[in-house]
Amino acid sequence: MASDDVANLADSLAKTQVDEGELSYKGQGLKLDNAQSVEKMVRAIQEFDGLRALRLEGNTIGVEAAQTIAKALEKKSDLQCCHWSDMFTGRLRAEIPPALVSLGDALIMAGARLKVLDLSDNAFGPDGVKGIEKLLKSATCHTLQELRLNNCGMGIGGGKILSAALTVCHKESSALGAPLQLKVFIAGRNRLENDGATALAQAFQLIGSLEEVHIPQNGINYQGVTALATAMQHNPQLRVLNLNDNTFTKRGAIAMAQELNLSFGEITKDAALEVARSVQHKDQLEKLDLNGNSLGEDGCENLREVMENMNMADKLGSLSDDEGEPEEDEDEEEDDDDDYEDVEEEEEEEGEKSELNQFSTPPSAPRTPDASTFLSFPSPDKLLRLGAKRSFLLQQQVDLLDASKTAEAFLKISSVYKEDDAEVKAAVLESIDAVLSKAFLTPSFQGLSFMSSLLVMLGLLKSEDKLKPVKVVPGHLQCLEHAVKQSYFPREHVTVLNAFMARPSKSLEPCSGARDRLKSTLQKLTPES
């Protein structure tokens, strides 16, 4: 590759405004009120052949502006990812539904097949859900893999509308022989409450392909939790279920005893002990997370004893954030408010809880302190102490929505690589493969942004961002040499890396041996132009 080409590539990567079929206006704070205000954007959309991702988050878009953008999208059949969070700041709620309808209709007219739809942090309420109802029911969403609606104020009504739309989408796509395969669903802080959660649970049970579900802070108590627990048993690929800051109570905790990220759910000692006993003989259980509940000092000790007696002490997560025992009057008020609390139901539950199927979902990323500690202060010993589940723990800890954090995690893991220590070497390479393979296989992952961040951190590319180069060690380059040879690593990124490695760099001089081996491998993998 000629030096001019390298310079041009460096400039392109540094800007990272357009990459991998993506057009980004992320975080520019644009106030787009009318057709005139979006003329340049519309022209860019129209001239962008093969547009696959459009980022509009962090701007504010009015109805007329949205309608004008929509017209430009009517011929963009390749569009797969709509990153449209936080794009109605300061708008009247009445403005948002018609804007969403216009954009949705344009995607349908274009014949687009979406993989990612992110409308988080748009306070559109139930009417906003109606604004995307037609889109969600259409063939455009038959291919949807990630639906992100965090902090949208949907309420119970919005939850019901959303459930019905997803149900239609699944049924109609199934009738065509390619059922909806939704993998990620995020709807925290939406005031769904029991009725909204129960409605969504019906859709989740039907869909059956979910891998991550995040519904924290939604005012859900045991009725909604129980409905979700039942639905999750029909999603065998589920890895993460985040219901933080909802109210489980005893019966909800027992119903969810096969999911087991039960942190911060106002669970008391007796309920926690019931949960612990219910997981005995569940060989697939990876971790029981009851941190941040209301067990009290004695309750925490009792819980540890129960787990030890079942030879499952290693499955119990940290209890360092326990809230302490609740006041007695709080317990009494909870009992008074529970209209369903009676002797017959208690007896029925006692009979049913022994029939819970084996199922385990490990804790979500914020509840993996060991992995967090390793990434904060990496060492070979800490990596080994993560044990056989290290790959999974690191996958959950790394934020794959942030390409720079993924690059940073790669460098931290690879920094402890030891060529002469077989155990550490294997653990590092296994962890690298786990994180990068998941990243590159995630539809919304920004691969070129990852490469840009990595090159900046390795001192091969200057950037105006806050990213700073790290002190490069041989392990960084040795692990990179391993990664580029794997099937998950995109070939186009190998070409980019080869171009930058061909340039002289002071940052790599202390690692000349590893640098030369990486360069040789890249040259072999890069096709001749």
Side-chain angles (χ1 to χ4, degrees), residues 95-120:
E95 294 182 82
I96 301 177
L100 292 173
V101 168
S102 297
L103 293 167
D105 286 349
L107 297 177
I108 295 171
M109 181 176 294
R113 294 292 181 267
L114 293 186
K115 290 185 178 179
V116 178
L117 178 60
D118 186 355
L119 289 166
S120 298

Side-chain angles (χ1 to χ4, degrees), residues 264-283:
F264 298 88
E266 300 181 25
I267 298 172
T268 56
K269 178 181 74 173
D270 291 343
L273 296 177
E274 290 284 357
V275 169
R277 296 184 186 104
S278 74
V279 303
Q280 190 173 17
H281 306 308
K282 297 197 182 303
D283 298 332

